Amino acid sequence: MPPVGTSAAVRESIWVRIVVDARSARAPGPVRGLCINMAVSALTAVGVLIAGTWGVADVLRVWGAWAVVSGLIHLLVGVARRPMGGQWAMILSGGISVLAGAHFIRGVTQDDPSLTALAGYATLGGIFFLVSAIRLSRASRVSASS
């Protein structure tokens, strides 16, 4: 796997999940799942770097497993935080991550597995997490001024 592809995969894994989860964890509501997900994402970043030396299929396996686990965590946290409002993006992105992760894992059985699907996944995930972060930021400002 080219270093650029590995770098992009690690960057998305670390920055979108860890940084946004860290900001979300400061908001009121359940945070244990987000903290667990930050640890899972950090381990995944290392796993992707290692898998990148072995090949595309291995990167897809690691990435797919991460997407399933991370998606389940976000789905559960989003459902638990529903009373806060604005959690639809986290719930929807969690569900999409689970499905995408299963698709990535299944994709390794193809004759010529490719990382191109990761670009769409990373873009969509980034959009969902940006919406969640904006919503949580607005909700915390409203809470602070009340």
Side-chain angles (χ1 to χ4, degrees), residues 6-7 20 33 35 45 51-53 71 76 94 109 112 115 122-123 131 135 142 145:
T6 301
S7 171
V20 174
C35 293
T53 65
L76 294 171
T109 62
D112 188 23
L115 298 177
T123 301
V131 168
R135 174 65 184 110
V142 169
S145 67

Side-chain angles (χ1 to χ4, degrees), residues 50-127:
I50 293 168
T53 65
W54 296 331
V56 171
D58 294 308
V59 170
L60 287 172
R61 281 185 194 98
V62 171
W63 194 270
W66 168 74
V68 169
V69 171
S70 181
L72 285 172
I73 291 169
H74 278 101
L75 189 58
L76 294 171
V77 169
V79 168
R81 288 181 159 197
R82 265 186 43 210
M84 290 174 54
Q87 297 302 306
W88 62 268
M90 186 177 281
I91 293 168
L92 188 57
S93 70
I96 290 170
S97 286
V98 170
L99 295 175
H103 175 74
F104 296 145
I105 293 168
R106 197 184 103 222
V108 301
T109 62
Q110 296 175 350
D111 291 335
D112 188 23
S114 168
L115 298 177
T116 56
L118 295 182
Y121 172 77
T123 301
L124 187 59
I127 291 168

Side-chain angles (χ1 to χ4, degrees), residues 17-27 34 38:
R17 300 296 173 141
I18 292 179
V19 173
V20 174
D21 281 354
R23 283 195 68 180
S24 297
R26 286 185 275 171
L34 296 175
M38 287 186 278

Side-chain angles (χ1 to χ4, degrees), residues 2 20 30-31 33 40 43 48 76 78 81 90 97 103 107 119 129-130 139 146:
V20 174
V31 297
V40 168
L43 290 173
V48 167
L76 294 171
R81 288 181 159 197
M90 186 177 281
S97 286
H103 175 74
F129 281 93
L130 179 62
S146 299

